[in-house]
Structures are given as C-alpha cells and as structure tokens.
Amino acid sequence: MLAEIEGSQSPNRQGAGPLAIQEVMAYYQVPALSIAVIQDFAVCGAKSWGVADVETGALATNETLYQAASISKPVAAMASLKAVESGRFSLDQDINTILTSWRLPGSPFKGGPPVTPRTLLGPHRCGRNSVHRNHTRLGT
C-alpha cells in the first residue's frame, strides 16, 4: 500500500498533474509529511519524507510529532458520536456531567443553557442562531 501512496497520484483540481509524494510536497511547499496505514486498528505501515525542522535540518521520522490542527475535529467528532452510540453520554447532556478531570466554567449569563456535546460539535456560529449555506445543524 505504501508503494501506491508513494507513486504518481491522479491529477487534482488545483492543477497539480500526476505527481509522486515528494513532487507534491515540493509543489505545495510542504517541508515534511508522514503517513501511517492502519488496518484492523493496527499500524501496518508507516513512512516519512522531508525535513521536520527547517531550522536544524532534522529529518522527519515515523516518530515525528505534528500539530493536529483541523484534522482533529472530525476525529474528535467521530469518537464522540461512537460514545453517544454506545450510551456513554447524550448529545444534549451538560458537558460538566461528562468531564472527569476538569470543569467548564459556568455561563456568565444567568440562566444560560449548559454547554453540551451537541453545541461543541456543532458548526461554527456567528453569534446568532443561524445556519450557513453548506452547513446543517448537528442532529437535525
């Protein structure tokens, strides 16, 4: 599987032709990349390319830590929804009844609704009850 990943990739909508991993990295100016292939809940292959620290020149390895950034949002959402599915908590349960090692401070607004997994997993809001184009409310 790693050989397929390393080989030329199909052209994409951004104009990059069929490029191999290192060519895609150069095209998009990505200094380092690591990939893990997971099968049956176990890592069955991993490979890293590039420079993990551009200042020191340290190479990326399979142990290099990366910032999770926005990729952590769907992972956290999936884990949360699996916990809801298994009955560990409800989407509409007060988050402070779920947290065990810390508590979310109460709302500064008297009588405000509690923070729930649904509000934490829901789409970004602009401060009013709205639904943006291409977004839907979670669970509705």
Side-chain angles (χ1 to χ4, degrees), residues 41-107:
F41 304 100
V43 175
C44 63
K47 185 152 184 185
S48 299
W49 299 267
V51 179
D53 187 330
V54 294
E55 291 179 10
T56 67
L59 296 177
T61 70
N62 293 347
E63 286 74 40
T64 299
L65 299 178
Y66 295 88
Q67 287 186 335
S70 291
I71 192 64
S72 64
K73 293 172 188 171
V75 173
M78 179 56 97
S80 297
L81 291 175
K82 291 294 280 179
V84 167
E85 183 179 65
S86 69
R88 295 186 66 186
F89 57 83
S90 160
L91 280 176
D92 297 312
Q93 189 174 339
D94 183 334
I95 198 71
N96 284 323
T97 65
I98 301 166
L99 297 173
T100 57
S101 62
W102 61 283
R103 293 186 58 77
L104 193 65
S107 171

